[in-house]
Amino acid sequence: MMVFIKAFVIGGMICALTQILMEKTRLMPGRIMVLLVTLGTFLGAVGLYEPFAEFAGAGATVPLLGFGNVLWKGVREAVDANGFLGLFQGGFKACAVGVSAALIFGYLASVLFEPKMKKK
Amino acid sequence: MGKEKGDKNKIEIVSAGAEPGTGGGPVKREESREQQRNEQYNQYVEQVTPKANCLLNCVKAFITGGCICTVGQILTVLFLNSGMGKDEAAAYTTISLVFASVVLTGLNIYPLITTWGGAGSLVPITGFANSVVAPAIEYKKEGQVFGIGCKIFTISGPVILYGILSSWILGVIYLIVVSLRAV
């Protein structure tokens, strides 16, 4: 039970902090996402995010910060295995599942669903 | 309309500056006028912008984001219990959340969550999936390549680019550090 509470509170906290950032800076959602993923790779690289994810579970892995951390993990593992070449392998390998799922389901959805007219 | 107003102000400024014994001179006057006008404009903008209740929005974002993360945690636990490894369970959780977000976007439910939850629906991976699907559906009329093909990357493109780029840069640093240690 504790894991669910932790996921709820930590995930909620990250979202609430982002909400504050959005209200203070009026940044567009796209920029917020870029910022979060980039920040996630950085937090991963300095070694903060992995212990945090260990503690918070899905509360840390579901937000886009976790996506950034996964990217970094992929690069590190690939560099450990293949050295220089790994720099160019790890990132895409790590985000393959999320990105492929989004693109493939997204494409299928665009075939299945019609755009909604904006009601006015 | 705005131009007319500006001209009028200028005339006023010139006549005011021509008054004897006012000091300052026309240039300074004009500057202070402009400043005043800017201040007034800023006040006007603040008045017109809907006063978003920051605290309430944060609470909404907290609840929305928390719920999505909890769903993610429940899925992870379910996958783990079905005998999957940690990484596998995480991958399936991602796929499930993305799938759910895509379906909800297609049914036009996710936009409602976004309206209510703000950042709470944006920050989780479901927000990323939503940013992929929504333009793909929206622009399907513009064709397979330039409609769906291009627009599907409108927001996810930058996210992927800068994610890959920053992880690459950090990877370069990591590689240098590791090689220096080995020496």
Side-chain angles (χ1 to χ4, degrees), chain A residues 8-9 12-13 15 18-20 23 33 41 54 58 62 64 76 79-80 87-88 97 107 110-111 113-114 116, chain B residues 54 57-58 61-62 65-66 69-70 73 86 95 106 108 119 122-123 125 140 144 148 166 168 170-172 174:
Chain A
F8 183 85
V9 173
M13 286 284 280
C15 294
T18 311
Q19 182 74 39
I20 294 173
E23 305 239 338
M33 287 189 191
T41 60
E54 210 60 53
V62 171
L64 285 172
R76 193 192 60 203
V79 167
D80 284 340
L87 288 173
F88 298 87
V97 172
Y107 181 82
S110 79
V111 175
F113 296 105
E114 291 302 319
K116 303 288 186 295
Chain B
C54 189
N57 285 347
C58 286
F62 181 86
C69 290
T70 309
Q73 186 68 55
K86 214 178 146 198
I95 294 177
N108 227 17
L122 186 78
V123 174
I125 190 90
K140 67 187 277 192
Q144 289 290 320
I148 299 171
S166 60
W168 184 85
L170 293 163
V172 170
Y174 176 71

Side-chain angles (χ1 to χ4, degrees), chain B residues 50-104:
Chain B
K51 269 276 181 296
N53 189 337
C54 189
L55 187 69
L56 182 66
N57 285 347
C58 286
V59 171
K60 285 177 177 176
F62 181 86
I63 294 169
T64 312
C67 285
I68 295 173
C69 290
T70 309
V71 171
Q73 186 68 55
I74 291 169
L75 288 169
T76 309
V77 169
L78 286 178
F79 287 129
L80 282 173
N81 284 348
S82 71
M84 285 180 191
K86 214 178 146 198
D87 287 341
E88 209 181 346
Y92 274 104
T93 304
T94 303
I95 294 177
S96 314
L97 285 176
V98 167
F99 183 75
S101 168
V102 168
V103 172
L104 289 178

Side-chain angles (χ1 to χ4, degrees), chain B residues 146-161:
Chain B
F146 293 108
I148 299 171
C150 287
K151 302 292 184 187
I152 206 166
F153 285 108
T154 319
I155 292 176
S156 62
V159 173
I160 295 168
L161 168 64

Side-chain angles (χ1 to χ4, degrees), chain A residues 37 41 67-79 85-99, chain B residues 160-169 171:
Chain A
V37 171
T41 60
F67 190 67
N69 178 47
V70 163
L71 281 172
W72 155 253
K73 257 167 61 184
V75 169
R76 193 192 60 203
E77 276 162 22
V79 167
L85 189 59
L87 288 173
F88 298 87
Q89 295 173 320
F92 272 110
K93 201 178 157 199
C95 71
V97 172
V99 173
Chain B
I160 295 168
L161 168 64
Y162 290 107
I164 293 288
L165 184 68
S166 60
S167 65
W168 184 85
I169 292 169

Side-chain angles (χ1 to χ4, degrees), chain A residues 14 18-19 21-22 25-42 62-69 71 102, chain B residues 101 105 110 114 118-135 152-164 166:
Chain A
I14 294 174
T18 311
Q19 182 74 39
L21 182 74
M22 278 176 77
T25 59
R26 300 225 173 89
L27 280 173
M28 298 299 289
R31 293 188 187 194
I32 294 282
M33 287 189 191
V34 170
L35 208 68
L36 284 172
V37 171
T38 317
L39 186 66
T41 60
F42 180 75
V62 171
L64 285 172
L65 285 172
F67 190 67
N69 178 47
L71 281 172
Chain B
S101 168
T105 306
Y110 206 83
T114 306
S121 71
L122 186 78
V123 174
I125 190 90
T126 48
F128 175 75
N130 171 256
S131 78
V132 173
V133 194
I152 206 166
F153 285 108
T154 319
I155 292 176
S156 62
V159 173
I160 295 168
L161 168 64
Y162 290 107
I164 293 288
S166 60

